[in-house]
């Protein structure tokens, strides 16, 4: 199999297309959408050798690329589990439609080695997918069940996490809750994704294999030799009262507890990226990242990669999971999560992204997400726990975070 990329002259919205096909990744004006599955490339984790092998297999699909910029040529989507030892796969679509922030659009077609790409057929399939509309009944009611009671999570799970931190077993641990949502009709994922776009337009929006999200957090991107990350750690709720909302934002920015939690993630990230870089640095002070439902502390990290340049998959293998979703030190934090949470995180707090044949790509942290199957959705929310965390406040934070997805699951 080979891939051919040409400029797309037709008026196509890749986001609307990807929302309908279920293969979508979009951030800051860059969007890629896929139709069908041409190949699945194994991605063995956690070793970097697995990342190198998967990247090589993707690279070898290139036949022709008339556009030659990140996201063109052979491209794959992937969604990886939180467990860094759980292997995954790269999904290579039959057709990829992409759009860059500068307005460039392209189509990549997978085809047999001995055949020419059929552009007319690709355009027809794009039009059919773009114009498809669900006629199924819309959910009107849903039942939400906590997999652990909120009181148990607050009084046992979080309290034990704090006790272990104070005992010196771990510096920080991220503990999460899961809700099971049952609707009276199958969820319409197209509508869910569109509602997320309306509410969280600045987020990273994605859909892969029934897993959808509106993540505010960039795990890592690699464009040529430039690497970037935008970790978030530290949260405050929003208020509809502008004065109160401004106060909550200001309090978050100076909060000793939240800044300490945030600093753990930034220091770890810089130390982990440094071996890959000739230069790497972070903003000197965190800034407030404001979303529809919460404020976060965020810091942009940027560097120049050394040569030979590692692929995005090698960077993901090194960086996932960060202290923002696991804790610190990593091994002790992962042990705490396994022992205390009482659930399988699955893809929650994992990472979802795209990869091209040149090793470029970008990955979101899997927060503000839902795994949807027919009438059932699993949604998650977690909090970074440190020594002076308040269990009641942490429970309230999860409820605020849940609203991002719960509010999108059913049309008002």
């Amino acid at each position: 199999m080979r891939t051919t990329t040409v400029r797309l002259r037709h008026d196509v919205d890749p986001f609307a297309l990807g929302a309908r096909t279920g293969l979508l990744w979009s951030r800051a004006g860059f969007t890629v959408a896929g139709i069908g599955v041409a190949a699945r490339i194994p991605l063995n984790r956690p070793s970097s050798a697995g990342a190198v092998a998967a990247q090589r297999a993707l690279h070898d699909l290139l036949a022709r690329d008339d556009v030659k910029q990140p996201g063109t040529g052979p491209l794959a989507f992937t969604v990886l589990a939180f467990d860094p030892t759980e292997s995954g796969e790269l999904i290579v679509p039959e057709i990829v439609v992409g759009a860059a922030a500068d307005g460039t659009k392209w189509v990549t077609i997978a085809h047999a080695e001995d055949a020419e790409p059929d552009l007319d057929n690709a355009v027809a399939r794009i039009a059919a997918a773009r114009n498809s509309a669900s006629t199924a009944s819309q959910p009107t009611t849903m039942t939400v069940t906590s997999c652990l009671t909120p009181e148990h999570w607050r009084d046992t799970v979080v309290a034990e996490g704090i006790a272990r931190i104070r005992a010196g077993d771990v510096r920080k641990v991220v503990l999460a809750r899961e809700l099971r949502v049952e609707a009276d009709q199958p969820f319409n994922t197209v509508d869910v994704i569109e509602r997320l776009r309306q509410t969280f337009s600045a987020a990273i929006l994605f859909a892969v294999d029934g897993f959808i999200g509106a993540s505010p957090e960039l795990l890592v991107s690699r464009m040529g030799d430039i690497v970037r990350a935008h970790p978030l750690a530290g949260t405050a709720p929003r208020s509809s009262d502008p004065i109160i909302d401004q106060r909550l934002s200001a309090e978050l920015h100076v909060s000793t507890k939240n800044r300490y939690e945030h600093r753990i993630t930034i220091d770890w990230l810089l130390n982990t990226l440094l071996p890959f870089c000739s230069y790497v640095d972070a903003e000197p002070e965190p800034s407030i990242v404001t979303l529809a439902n919460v404020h976060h502390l965020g810091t942009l990290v940027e560097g120049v990669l050394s040569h030979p340049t590692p692929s995005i998959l090698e960077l993901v293998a090194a960086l996932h999971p960060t202290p923002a979703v696991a804790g610190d030190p990593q091994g002790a934090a992962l042990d705490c999560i396994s022992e205390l949470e009482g659930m399988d995180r699955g893809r929650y707090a994992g990472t979802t992204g795209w990869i091209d044949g040149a090793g470029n790509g970008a990955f979101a942290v899997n927060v503000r997400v839902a795994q949807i199957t027919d009438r059932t959705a699993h949604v998650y929310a977690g909090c970074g726990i440190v020594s002076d965390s308040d269990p009641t406040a942490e429970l309230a934070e999860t409820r605020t975070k849940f609203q991002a997805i719960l509010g999108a699951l059913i049309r008002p």
Side-chain angles (χ1 to χ4, degrees):
M1 190 182 78
R2 291 288 184 264
T3 63
T4 295
T5 300
V6 297
R7 291 184 182 274
L8 185 62
R9 308 299 182 184
H10 298 75
D11 184 19
V12 178
D13 176 5
F15 190 98
L17 179 69
R20 284 160 175 76
T21 63
L23 283 174
L24 170 70
W25 202 96
S26 181
R27 173 181 181 261
F30 177 94
T31 302
V32 283
I35 299 175
V37 177
R40 296 178 184 269
I41 299 172
L43 176 58
N44 295 320
R45 302 165 76 205
S47 72
S48 60
V52 170
Q55 181 64 60
R56 184 181 302 114
L58 184 63
H59 173 270
D60 288 347
L61 299 180
L62 177 64
R64 169 185 158 196
D65 181 359
D66 292 347
V67 184
K68 293 184 175 63
Q69 65 183 51
T72 66
L75 180 139
F77 296 83
T78 190
V79 53
L80 300 176
F82 170 73
D83 182 349
T85 67
E86 185 175 325
S87 292
E89 62 182 7
L90 307 187
I91 301 170
V92 182
E94 295 173 326
I95 301 169
V96 172
V97 175
D102 64 3
T104 302
K105 290 186 178 180
W106 62 90
V107 58
T108 299
I109 304 167
H111 54 92
E113 290 189 43
D114 58 354
E116 290 296 315
D118 189 339
L119 183 59
D120 290 340
N121 177 66
V123 170
R125 290 185 64 186
I126 291 167
R130 179 185 58 191
N131 296 329
S132 65
S134 173
T135 58
S137 300
Q138 297 287 330
T140 57
T141 61
M142 63 183 181
T143 302
V144 181
T145 305
S146 292
C147 297
L148 285 179
T149 67
E151 295 77 16
H152 178 83
W153 188 83
R154 177 192 64 201
D155 299 336
T156 301
V157 176
V158 176
E160 175 60 22
I162 294 171
R164 294 191 183 193
I165 291 168
R166 292 176 178 172
D169 297 342
V170 63
R171 279 209 303 165
K172 171 188 173 181
V173 61
V174 179
L175 296 172
R177 298 174 58 207
E178 177 186 2
L179 301 181
R180 180 184 175 94
V181 185
E182 295 283 352
D184 60 336
Q185 298 288 340
F187 288 106
N188 186 320
T189 56
V190 177
D191 283 356
V192 174
I193 294 166
E194 287 290 354
R195 286 194 285 271
L196 288 172
R197 174 160 68 162
Q198 292 168 13
T199 307
F200 300 98
S201 58
I204 304 169
L205 297 153
F206 54 81
V208 180
D209 192 25
F211 188 74
I212 65 170
S215 174
E217 187 167 0
L218 177 69
L219 173 66
V220 63
S221 71
R222 185 269 214 187
M223 305 294 167
D225 63 355
I226 302 299
V227 61
R228 294 185 178 92
H230 195 196
L232 307 180
T235 305
R238 297 288 312 274
S239 171
S240 58
D241 183 319
I243 295 175
I244 296 175
D245 193 56
Q246 186 176 16
R247 175 176 58 79
L248 291 169
S249 173
E251 289 175 350
L252 173 63
H253 197 254
V254 298
S255 164
T256 302
K257 179 261 183 187
N258 284 289
R259 288 179 73 99
Y260 170 71
E261 177 189 343
H262 188 77
R263 192 71 242 173
I264 289 173
T265 298
I266 300 304
D267 289 345
W268 180 91
L269 191 67
L270 289 171
N271 288 335
T272 305
L273 275 177
L274 186 59
F276 296 97
C277 296
S278 59
Y279 167 83
V280 64
D281 202 1
E283 294 175 310
E285 285 286 317
S287 59
I288 297 295
V289 177
T290 296
L291 304 172
N293 60 329
V294 293
H295 300 290
H296 287 299
L297 286 179
T299 297
L300 179 64
V301 175
E302 184 171 315
V304 178
L305 295 166
S306 304
H307 292 276
T309 309
S311 73
I312 185 66
L313 290 176
E314 292 172 82
L315 295 171
V316 169
L319 292 173
H320 173 75
T322 74
V325 293
D328 185 70
Q330 187 182 86
L334 292 175
D335 288 343
C336 282
I337 290 167
S338 176
E339 295 165 12
L340 299 180
E341 277 189 349
M343 69 177 190
D344 179 2
R345 289 190 176 189
R347 293 163 164 177
Y348 165 70
T351 183
T352 300
W354 63 269
I355 312 98
D356 70 17
N360 300 304
F363 278 73
V365 178
N366 291 346
V367 292
R368 318 298 188 268
V369 294
Q371 179 68 58
I372 297 177
T373 306
D374 196 44
R375 297 188 303 111
T376 303
H378 296 267
V379 300
Y380 309 84
C383 301
I385 309 301
V386 292
S387 61
D388 57 350
S389 289
D390 172 26
T392 299
E394 303 296 348
L395 178 61
E397 182 177 319
T398 64
R399 287 170 169 157
T400 299
K401 290 176 175 177
F402 276 132
Q403 292 308 312
I405 292 296
L406 293 177
L409 285 174
I410 292 184
R411 179 182 297 155

